[in-house]
Amino acid sequence: MCGKEESDLIGHLLTRICKLSRDRSRTLMAEIGIHCGQGIALYQLWQKDGITQSELARSLRLAPATVTTALQRMERIELIERRADERDQRISRVFLTDKGRSLREKVEENWHRLEEQALLGFSEEERKSMHGYLLRIHANLDSVRGLDAEAMAGTGRGARV
């Protein structure tokens, strides 16, 4: 493996960090009665309430069917409601309920708790550097993702979003 142990590879370490972060997020969000992925969907709606279901899927980078299932769950616990677009009944718009809006402070507080736990012992300078590095990694992988989607389109298998 090019002289590196698996545990030395940055990609492997990022994968392990993502799993630990998701596990911790799951625990923190469960404390307020939601799934960790629901917090991310709520965040998108706090930014732009009333977006279409397809816009939400794009912003979350998830398949529309996955978002539909998530929204059904969120409707059942009264975090959101879906309504047909006033001008085009084929379009479904997603709106926060009072309950969905009321969770914002708690969700954001838990995200801050997670970040503080993850970055314990890091100086402010190290945190800023880390943020910059992660943004660059994200941009690099995001640009490759576009190439992967184009390649997958040529196979007839489609790209997984």
Side-chain angles (χ1 to χ4, degrees):
M1 194 181 287
C2 301
K4 282 192 171 187
E5 293 293 319
E6 187 175 290
S7 61
D8 293 335
L9 296 173
I10 290 173
H12 181 73
L13 183 56
L14 285 172
T15 300
R16 290 182 12 227
I17 290 169
C18 285
K19 180 174 180 345
L20 289 169
S21 176
R22 185 156 180 93
D23 289 349
R24 185 67 186 131
S25 179
R26 186 176 292 118
T27 300
L28 291 171
M29 294 304 151
E31 290 175 5
I32 56 175
I34 65 172
H35 182 275
C36 63
Q38 291 172 339
I40 297 166
L42 287 170
Y43 175 80
Q44 294 298 320
L45 293 167
W46 293 326
Q47 304 310 304
K48 188 177 178 189
D49 196 16
I51 62 175
T52 67
Q53 199 166 314
S54 57
E55 287 173 321
L56 183 59
R58 273 193 301 281
S59 69
L60 295 172
R61 294 180 178 243
L62 294 172
T66 302
V67 171
T68 297
T69 302
L71 291 176
Q72 288 169 344
R73 289 184 184 128
M74 292 174 76
E75 270 184 316
R76 278 196 298 272
I77 60 172
E78 300 176 349
L79 297 176
I80 59 107
E81 62 181 19
R82 290 182 287 177
R83 292 184 235 143
D85 184 85
E86 292 175 0
R87 285 175 264 148
D88 186 344
Q89 299 293 304
R90 297 170 297 173
I91 296 173
S92 178
R93 294 197 170 272
V94 184
F95 293 90
L96 290 162
T97 62
D98 288 341
K99 182 178 178 182
R101 278 188 287 281
S102 75
L103 287 177
R104 184 174 188 161
E105 189 176 323
K106 291 177 184 175
V107 169
E108 289 178 348
E109 179 183 311
N110 279 343
W111 283 338
H112 289 291
R113 282 174 61 195
L114 175 61
E115 185 167 315
E116 286 304 311
Q117 291 166 352
L119 299 178
L120 188 65
F122 283 74
S123 70
E124 191 58 37
E125 184 178 323
E126 289 171 321
R127 288 172 184 235
K128 285 179 183 176
S129 293
M130 173 73 69
H131 187 259
Y133 298 147
L134 292 173
L135 286 174
R136 285 169 48 195
I137 291 169
H138 184 276
N140 291 344
L141 293 176
D142 197 41
S143 69
V144 173
R145 179 187 177 150
L147 296 174
D148 289 345
E150 290 172 21
M152 292 295 288
T155 67
R157 290 182 7 206
R160 182 174 176 190
V161 226

